[in-house]
Amino acid sequence: MLRRLGVAVLVALTVLTLAFLLTRVSGDLAISIAGPNATSEDIETIRRVYGLDRPVWVQYLDWLGRAVQGDFGESYFFRDRVANLILGRMPVTLTLGLVGLCIALVVSLPLGILAAVREGTMLDRAVGIVALVGQAMPSFWLGLVLMIIFGLQLAWLPISGVESWQGYILPGVVLAFSAIPSLTRLTRSGMIEALSSDYIRTARAKGLTRFSILVKHGFRNAAIPVVSIAAVQLGFMLGGSVVIETVFALHGVGFLAWESISKNDFPVVQAVVLVLALIYIGLTLLADLLNAVLDPRLRTG
């Protein structure tokens, strides 16, 4: 865990550095802030006000020092502290990620168990095809299709906004499709390994019911890696929420990133990239910890 924590710190510093450098490579920030009709005097004034006339390495060290303290500066467009903007949008993104993860688990766990129980049959191959389609399907395309069918034609669910809990269903389903294939395959392989183990044969010899063997003995052990991977998948979902929130007009952190990119609001872009990366790193460390704690060898030797 200490080694992984050290790697996580290096990854965070790398992401922070790349986020800073890429915004500088994309063009002159002073010109982007000033707008197309600004004069050269206006641009020079903006450079002095925002400290853009200093060397790049000085700007980087200054931003790094403030970012470590949680100060990401002020937004060029929204005229508010970047930290306040992210904190205000984070509940929508976290709720969407949790909804997507719950939907993914509800779908993938039964599919994985069925595929393992019917290994090699048509049902097993059908589950594999579903997982393959889910892995290959573009999320923005699936979102538009669901909006047309369930939002416009059937009018069952809202297609934008989160004024009610129904607003999270369609984007949650789209977000879940990115995690269902990997969780399904992992559940299937874990169940196949568990069902061929000695303790399952012992349970069958004792005359236990099929449901008890599958759920209480088989899935209980096969779910250990699924729990840890689910935490990692939540990190993927939060990072992938940029596309989903843009398609469904959900005003979360992902939509904030899209707005900031389109308006050249680079302090917000840098902060969003860093925050999402830190959340993913934290969830990865949590997954490693859960995998270690839940490992039966830790308790039984």
Side-chain angles (χ1 to χ4, degrees):
M1 289 303 300
L2 289 176
R3 180 177 61 84
R4 288 190 175 273
L5 183 60
V7 172
V9 172
L10 293 177
V11 171
L13 287 175
T14 302
V15 171
L16 187 149
T17 304
L18 289 175
F20 178 86
L21 292 177
L22 288 175
T23 55
R24 266 56 184 180
V25 171
S26 62
D28 192 329
L29 297 186
I31 297 177
S32 300
I33 298 171
N37 299 322
T39 63
S40 58
E41 290 80 7
D42 295 334
I43 295 174
E44 290 302 323
T45 301
I46 289 176
R47 283 200 177 97
R48 289 193 300 271
V49 170
Y50 289 99
L52 299 175
D53 55 342
R54 299 175 298 169
V56 175
W57 65 270
V58 175
Q59 299 179 45
Y60 171 73
L61 291 178
D62 178 61
W63 186 71
L64 176 62
R66 290 187 287 108
V68 171
Q69 303 174 35
D71 181 10
F72 300 112
E74 184 175 341
S75 167
Y76 298 156
F77 177 78
F78 296 99
R79 300 299 179 183
D80 194 4
R81 305 299 297 176
V82 176
N84 295 337
L85 291 172
I86 294 177
L87 289 176
R89 302 287 189 97
M90 187 59 73
V92 174
T93 299
L94 290 178
T95 303
L96 177 60
L98 292 174
V99 170
L101 181 61
C102 291
I103 294 175
L105 291 174
V106 169
V107 174
S108 60
L109 295 183
L111 286 180
I113 294 174
L114 286 175
V117 172
R118 301 295 183 182
E119 182 184 6
T121 64
M122 289 294 295
L123 179 61
D124 185 18
R125 287 191 284 272
V127 171
I129 292 174
V130 171
L132 179 63
V133 171
Q135 191 76 50
M137 188 177 299
S139 58
F140 68 90
W141 180 84
L142 177 62
L144 294 174
V145 171
L146 294 182
M147 289 170 65
I148 293 172
I149 296 176
F150 296 99
L152 298 179
Q153 295 182 351
L154 299 177
W156 288 353
L157 297 168
I159 61 175
S160 64
V162 286
E163 286 76 14
S164 63
W165 62 269
Q166 291 94 335
Y168 287 102
I169 295 179
L170 288 183
V173 170
V174 176
L175 203 59
F177 259 77
S178 62
I180 288 176
S182 58
L183 292 176
T184 300
R185 287 193 294 265
L186 188 62
T187 304
R188 176 184 179 276
S189 61
M191 282 296 296
I192 291 176
E193 182 179 357
L195 293 177
S196 61
S197 59
D198 293 335
Y199 64 85
I200 292 296
R201 284 192 287 269
T202 302
R204 288 170 177 161
K206 290 181 178 180
L208 298 180
T209 63
R210 186 177 181 85
F211 179 82
S212 177
I213 292 174
L214 289 176
V215 177
K216 186 177 180 180
H217 297 277
F219 180 70
R220 185 177 181 180
N221 291 278
I224 293 175
V226 176
V227 172
S228 59
I229 293 299
V232 178
Q233 287 295 333
L234 178 58
F236 276 122
M237 290 181 179
L238 295 178
S241 65
V242 176
V243 177
I244 305 302
E245 290 180 9
T246 303
V247 172
F248 288 92
L250 305 180
H251 290 268
V253 176
F255 192 78
L256 175 64
W258 171 254
E259 289 179 301
S260 303
I261 292 171
S262 62
K263 295 177 174 62
N264 295 326
D265 198 346
F266 295 114
V268 179
V269 176
Q270 293 173 174
V272 169
V273 171
L274 178 60
V275 168
L276 291 179
L278 290 177
I279 292 176
Y280 176 76
I281 292 170
L283 290 172
T284 303
L285 291 174
L286 176 62
D288 292 335
L289 181 61
L290 288 174
N291 198 35
V293 172
L294 295 176
D295 192 339
R297 292 173 296 181
L298 189 67
R299 302 188 299 270
T300 65

